Structure formats: C-alpha cells, structure tokens
Amino acid sequence: MNKFNLETYKKRIFKTISKYKLIEPKDKIFAGLSGGKDSGSACYLISKYVKENKINCEIVGFYIKLGDFIPQRVIEIIRQQAEICEIELKIYNINDFGINYEKIAKLNRPICSSCGTIKRYLMNKIPREEGATKLCTGHHGDDFIVFFIKNIIGKNIDWISKFTPYLKGEGKQLSRIRPLFFVGGDENRNFCDEIKLPYINEDICPHKFLKQKIDIRREKWYQTIKEISKWQPNFREYFLEGVIEIAKNISMNLSKPNECEICGEPTNNKICSYCKLLKMHSNIKI
Ligand SMILES: [Zn+2]
C-alpha cells in the first residue's frame, strides 16, 4: 500500500469536483454529516474547494437523528466537524416525521434495509424542501465498488446507473454529488487524522445501540478491495472509471421515476418503500 499523501488525496478530490462539475455558482448544497470520517472529509473538502476557488454558493451541513438512543457525543462530534468546516449545521429528528426507530427495529425485515429506506427518503425530501440544489454524501470509491458487485450479483442492473460522481436529479429527486468517488475509506481516515478533523471511530450504525444484528460482510468486502489494490496498480480508479461508463449506458435506457400515490415523493413503484415501511411500522406496538 502506498503511503498516504495529503496533497495527492486533496488533488484527486478537487479534480473530481471540477471534472464532473459537482459545484457551481449559486448552488445551495446540503452535505449529510453522520459523525464519521467519510461524510466529515466530503464536507470539509467541498467547503475548502468553494473557499479556495471563491465560488458564490452556500453549503449547509445536516444530520438526521434516528432517535434519542443516539449518544450525545455523536452530536458533539458533528457540531465540531461543522465548526471546523465553517458551515451552518441543521439537525433533524425522525420522530418529528412520525417515525419511531425502536418500532422500525422490531419489524420482521433486515434493519439495514429499513434504515437505508428512511435515510434515502429523508435525505432527499428535507434538503429539497429547504431549497437545496444538490445533496453531498460521503460515499467513497470502495463503497461504489462493493455496491457495483452486489448489484451485479443481485441482477439489479438498473441501480448501477446511479454509480457516478454526479447524479443529476429528476423531478423531485435532488441531484447528488459524491466528491469522494475516487478515493477509499482508509484514505479518508488518514485525511481526518492529518488535519485533526474529529470523527466517531467505531461503526456508527444505529443498530449497534439497539443491539441488532448487522451485516458483517461489508468489512470483508472492503478488505478484499484492499487486497486486490496491493497487486493491481490503480485498481480502484480504473474499476470506477469502468463503472461510470456502464452507468452512462444504462441510464440512457431508463424510464423516469413516478410520484408515490401516498406522499408524492419519487419512486419506481406506485407506493414508495418509505410509505410501505411506515404502514408496517404503524402496526407495531412497543
Ligand atoms: Zn410515499
């Protein structure tokens, strides 16, 4: 493994931002923060990019709190991250949207999938209603390689169309930017350590706090990518460039999303998965 070089890392991300036009004047970008190293790095670097290039745009950090069981130190770290990035921070609570996470955890379905549904839904709806033009997330290269392989295995080929640094919004779907598309999770950790950006070190999945079983295979996937990178030079970069090409080709043949019959948010079905989840959730007693 190559030794971490802060300048090379920063250059690669700035190049991603400019090449894929992730940030433009008059943008209002909502950057999701989780307290982790990845979203912290993404938020820091887009703020830095805007300052260094004197771009007239607004960046807002935001966090969606899944419940009162989330330790206060997570919130504290997020506040510190936003302060270091010199951006405004907004915190939302899912209870205010009529969801109880403890109930969701009791549903007879995988918790990672429920959690993903809630986060994807609210991370699109909340910023859009606040006037955002784009949503920035901390997904990195290793995430996209794993998503890609998993979607090939699951034959969810259409999903691959979303794996690109800039995903243009459609209707109520907000445009998404992923400045960390060409870097890996370990590099984000090294970056935070070097610039002393605080982050929650352990897995911040809420399931941990509710003692749920989580997907331990994720870590194995990351290890596998690391192993391949040892003997295949530029593996991550070349693989992801290939993914972008495939995504481009698939997205040309896709139909536009519908609006959910219940809530009006974008979905590929009649009823969105969030509304389906809410319906199941309303039958649970705690
Ligand atoms: Zn819906």
Side-chain angles (χ1 to χ4, degrees):
M1 268 278 156
N2 294 333
K3 211 176 159 292
F4 177 72
N5 182 303
L6 194 136
E7 276 312 307
T8 313
Y9 168 86
K10 193 180 135 190
K11 249 187 220 160
R12 204 176 316 149
I13 290 161
F14 276 21
K15 191 179 150 199
T16 309
I17 298 175
S18 59
K19 184 176 174 188
Y20 294 92
K21 299 189 174 62
L22 303 191
I23 302 175
E24 289 159 310
K26 293 188 184 152
D27 262 338
K28 181 172 181 175
I29 300 172
F30 263 56
L33 286 171
S34 66
K37 62 185 177 23
D38 305 318
S39 56
S41 300
C43 194
Y44 182 89
L45 285 150
I46 60 166
S47 308
K48 192 93 182 153
Y49 183 90
V50 164
K51 258 177 250 160
E52 284 186 15
N53 294 283
K54 298 190 177 62
I55 300 171
N56 175 27
C57 82
E58 195 184 339
I59 296 172
V60 179
F62 78 111
Y63 174 64
I64 300 171
K65 195 177 166 187
L66 292 172
D68 293 331
F69 56 86
I70 300 286
Q72 194 50 35
R73 66 190 167 86
V74 174
I75 311 289
E76 223 15 78
I77 294 274
I78 291 169
R79 283 194 203 286
Q80 289 170 17
Q81 287 183 336
E83 208 178 297
I84 293 171
C85 295
E86 297 176 346
I87 54 163
E88 184 193 351
L89 172 69
K90 294 194 175 195
I91 295 179
Y92 304 90
N93 197 319
I94 62 161
N95 295 334
D96 296 335
F97 298 87
I99 311 164
N100 180 312
Y101 200 84
E102 274 101 336
K103 277 192 186 180
I104 297 284
K106 285 193 178 170
L107 292 176
N108 189 22
R109 72 199 293 272
I111 186 79
C112 287
S113 143
S114 302
C115 188
T117 298
I118 296 170
K119 279 202 234 160
R120 265 194 305 277
Y121 183 90
L122 293 177
M123 285 183 79
N124 182 61
K125 185 181 159 82
I126 295 173
R128 192 193 68 230
E129 290 180 346
E130 297 268 11
T133 56
K134 286 169 186 162
L135 167 68
C136 171
T137 62
H139 292 118
H140 52 73
D142 298 344
D143 288 331
F144 286 106
I145 294 174
V146 176
F147 292 157
F148 178 82
I149 297 171
K150 280 189 171 179
N151 279 287
I152 291 281
I153 296 169
K155 298 186 181 62
N156 297 315
I157 306 302
D158 287 357
W159 269 95
I160 294 167
S161 65
K162 298 174 193 292
F163 304 161
T164 160
Y166 177 59
L167 183 64
K168 199 176 175 319
E170 194 78 68
K172 287 186 174 175
Q173 192 78 53
L174 212 50
S175 294
R176 281 155 219 216
I177 59 169
R178 292 89 175 230
L180 308 182
F181 194 87
F182 287 106
V183 298
D186 282 350
E187 290 176 282
N188 299 336
R189 180 178 289 108
N190 289 331
F191 177 70
C192 288
D193 290 342
E194 282 215 14
I195 66 158
K196 300 200 167 41
L197 185 74
Y199 60 92
I200 304 283
N201 212 355
E202 67 268 37
D203 197 338
I204 39 178
C205 274
H207 333 127
K208 220 188 104 175
F209 306 119
L210 291 173
K211 300 192 172 54
Q212 292 274 326
K213 274 187 196 163
I214 62 161
D215 186 4
I216 52 158
R217 280 177 302 183
R218 201 174 61 164
E219 210 32 60
K220 288 190 180 172
W221 277 111
Y222 290 152
Q223 288 301 328
T224 307
I225 295 171
K226 221 188 269 184
E227 280 305 311
I228 300 172
S229 303
K230 281 181 189 166
W231 52 263
Q232 176 66 60
N234 301 318
F235 166 70
R236 191 190 287 125
E237 195 183 346
Y238 292 163
F239 193 101
L240 289 165
E241 279 172 354
V243 171
I244 292 175
E245 287 306 312
I246 296 171
K248 250 190 239 167
N249 280 300
I250 298 173
S251 63
M252 284 194 286
N253 301 318
L254 284 186
S255 54
K256 290 184 180 168
N258 310 317
E259 288 188 1
C260 169
E261 284 181 1
I262 298 175
C263 69
E265 291 296 310
T267 176
N268 291 325
N269 304 306
K270 279 187 169 179
I271 310 284
C272 77
S273 42
Y274 179 86
C275 285
K276 283 181 198 155
L277 192 66
L278 271 197
K279 197 159 176 264
M280 283 192 262
H281 151 283
S282 63
N283 297 328
I284 297 277
K285 301 262 181 299
I286 51 167

